Amino acid sequence: MMPIKRRHLCSLAICAAAVVLFLAANTAAHPATGIVVDRKGQVYFSDLETIWKLGGGKLSVFRAGVSGRHVHELALDEQDNLYGADVSYEPATKKWISDVWKMTPDGNLTYVLEPTTDPPRGMSIWQDQKHNMYSVDQNNHTKTQTLLLMRTPDGGVTTFAGGGYGHADGQGQRAKFSSVNGFAFGPDGNLYLTDGTSARKVTMDGQVSTLATKLDERTTEDKPTLFGKSEGILAGLTVDSNGIVYIADAGNRRLLKIANDGKVTVVYRAAPPYSPNGVYATPAGDVYVMEVGFTLPSTWSGPRVRKISLDGKNELLVTIGEDKAGTVRGSVARGLGATTESALGFIVERPKLSVLILFLIGGSLAALVWQRLRRRRRT
């Protein structure tokens, strides 16, 4: 057997380590999708830590960020109160802390759910007109079931729709979901979801239907992305007053439009390194898109927001994290792809692959040490 040279061992160790960092950033990073617009036309969006407010041509911090405390999604009620959910990890206790908060238009913050390491089942930012909360209970590793839960104001939790993992339309628990990501209420009061590579609708009587499938399919104008993978990554979604659904296809760097007849068109394509990640449609027919950029090896940029008007005008409104004329430096969550959240997510979702990669790294380093000891003995 030909002996392995030390430089080859070093190369193997470096490559294995690079694979770990690449996969962790690729697989488990979770940039924010939260963007909403109130009745005054003021835009609120999350850079994962800070909640920004854009109104009257001015950008301001609406809720200051805290390092390591993440806010992924945002929702508005009929009084323009803003809702969000915090997720943070405490290394000292090795526990996750979560809460649900509400902020009035004048910036007064209260907690719907106080920060806790043991949140009650079914708590979320998504509420119907009767103040029932809706959330998704799923495990994308085991893939045994995906449930849409409803929590009533008195704390009762039931399965509103969904059962075994898969894809099936139907009433209540006869329906099946796979991997739900985007989540939003439409002006009609119904729920809309991105589920795997499909868009789904759930009426308030629990009827689940599919609006469009195979949303990952590329056209000749689409270019494969570095982190999109073959099935694409459907992120945020929104529904306008005419029932038209817009979906941020982050994996393919594009914004999709689903008409009432189910026809799917691409209304916007982002240039690298940016990808649409959040979207919101106003009653006037304007669509606001939040894009996030990725820079190797594991850094997500601050978001930028653009407005696509009803007449087709496409205008970039603000960019967070750049220090150039016309833009504002924000509290950007640096190195998101390598945060504790990402690393833990990668290990939990792919334990066998994680062990294999770590074994390769450990074996490479052990072989390197052995080679050095052998050379010392010879001398």
Side-chain angles (χ1 to χ4, degrees), residues 204-226:
M204 287 297 94
D205 61 357
Q207 183 67 37
V208 180
S209 59
T210 300
L211 303 177
T213 60
K214 299 181 180 179
L215 297 176
D216 59 322
E217 291 185 349
R218 298 187 177 100
T219 69
T220 55
E221 298 180 59
D222 295 311
K223 297 179 180 179
T225 64
L226 186 60

Side-chain angles (χ1 to χ4, degrees), residues 275-338:
S275 294
N277 216 57
V279 59
Y280 190 87
T282 69
D286 298 325
V287 177
Y288 289 78
V289 185
M290 183 175 72
E291 304 169 279
V292 180
F294 186 85
T295 303
L296 288 171
S298 60
T299 301
W300 293 95
S301 75
R304 68 182 187 183
V305 176
R306 68 175 57 251
K307 176 183 177 182
I308 301 176
S309 303
L310 185 61
D311 60 6
K313 181 180 179 181
N314 190 320
E315 177 185 8
L316 183 62
L317 301 180
V318 66
T319 300
I320 302 295
E322 292 188 2
D323 193 13
K324 298 178 180 179
T327 64
V328 180
R329 178 171 293 279
S331 170
V332 181
R334 294 184 176 87
L336 171 60

Side-chain angles (χ1 to χ4, degrees), residues 50-379:
T50 300
I51 307 301
W52 296 89
K53 176 181 177 180
L54 178 62
K58 296 181 179 180
L59 181 71
S60 60
V61 173
F62 188 64
R63 182 176 186 246
V66 174
S67 180
R69 186 186 68 188
H70 294 174
V71 183
H72 294 282
E73 299 174 299
L74 297 174
L76 278 177
D77 65 16
E78 295 178 347
Q79 289 74 45
D80 284 340
N81 295 309
L82 185 68
Y83 293 82
D86 296 328
V87 178
S88 58
Y89 182 75
E90 292 294 334
T93 60
K94 297 182 179 180
K95 291 184 178 181
W96 290 93
I97 297 177
S98 60
D99 62 63
V100 178
W101 51 264
K102 168 186 173 182
M103 288 189 72
T104 61
D106 59 5
N108 181 40
L109 184 144
T110 56
Y111 284 103
V112 179
L113 171 66
E114 294 283 347
T116 177
T117 58
D118 187 24
R121 194 167 185 241
M123 293 293 293
S124 80
I125 66 173
W126 305 106
Q127 300 184 49
D128 62 19
Q129 295 179 351
K130 297 180 179 179
H131 302 292
N132 297 310
M133 290 182 175
Y134 297 84
S135 62
V136 176
D137 185 348
Q138 64 185 353
N139 187 318
N140 289 325
H141 173 57
T142 61
K143 296 183 178 180
T144 56
Q145 65 177 15
T146 301
L147 308 178
L148 176 59
L149 304 179
M150 181 180 73
R151 181 184 177 88
T152 59
D154 61 5
V157 180
T158 58
T159 298
F160 187 67
Y165 186 94
H167 186 109
D169 292 340
Q171 182 71 36
Q173 297 182 38
R174 291 196 295 271
K176 292 183 179 181
F177 301 100
S178 57
S179 178
V180 175
N181 192 7
F183 198 100
F185 272 100
D188 56 4
N190 295 317
L191 279 169
Y192 292 79
L193 314 169
T194 56
D195 178 20
T197 61
S198 302
R200 314 286 295 278
K201 174 182 176 180
V202 185
T203 61
M204 287 297 94
D205 61 357
Q207 183 67 37
V208 180
S209 59
T210 300
L211 303 177
T213 60
K214 299 181 180 179
L215 297 176
D216 59 322
E217 291 185 349
R218 298 187 177 100
T219 69
T220 55
E221 298 180 59
D222 295 311
K223 297 179 180 179
T225 64
L226 186 60
F227 299 101
K229 298 190 294 185
S230 60
E231 74 274 15
I233 301 174
L234 303 183
L237 79 162
T238 187
V239 187
D240 72 9
S241 56
N242 295 316
I244 295 175
V245 179
Y246 294 88
I247 295 178
D249 180 4
N252 292 313
R253 303 189 194 278
R254 61 191 184 181
L255 179 66
L256 303 178
K257 173 183 176 181
I258 304 176
N260 294 323
D261 60 1
K263 182 180 179 182
V264 181
T265 56
V266 178
V267 296
Y268 167 68
R269 288 182 174 86
Y274 283 96
S275 294
N277 216 57
V279 59
Y280 190 87
T282 69
D286 298 325
V287 177
Y288 289 78
V289 185
M290 183 175 72
E291 304 169 279
V292 180
F294 186 85
T295 303
L296 288 171
S298 60
T299 301
W300 293 95
S301 75
R304 68 182 187 183
V305 176
R306 68 175 57 251
K307 176 183 177 182
I308 301 176
S309 303
L310 185 61
D311 60 6
K313 181 180 179 181
N314 190 320
E315 177 185 8
L316 183 62
L317 301 180
V318 66
T319 300
I320 302 295
E322 292 188 2
D323 193 13
K324 298 178 180 179
T327 64
V328 180
R329 178 171 293 279
S331 170
V332 181
R334 294 184 176 87
L336 171 60
T339 59
T340 303
E341 178 182 352
S342 300
L344 289 177
F346 176 73
I347 293 171
V348 170
E349 293 178 9
R350 290 167 174 77
K352 293 182 180 179
L353 182 57
S354 300
V355 171
L356 176 59
I357 294 173
L358 292 174
F359 175 78
L360 290 173
I361 295 174
S364 300
L365 294 176
L368 178 58
V369 171
W370 180 78
Q371 286 284 352
R372 287 183 175 178
L373 291 175
R374 188 178 179 184
R375 289 186 63 184
R376 287 180 180 178
R377 290 175 181 174
R378 290 178 177 177
T379 58

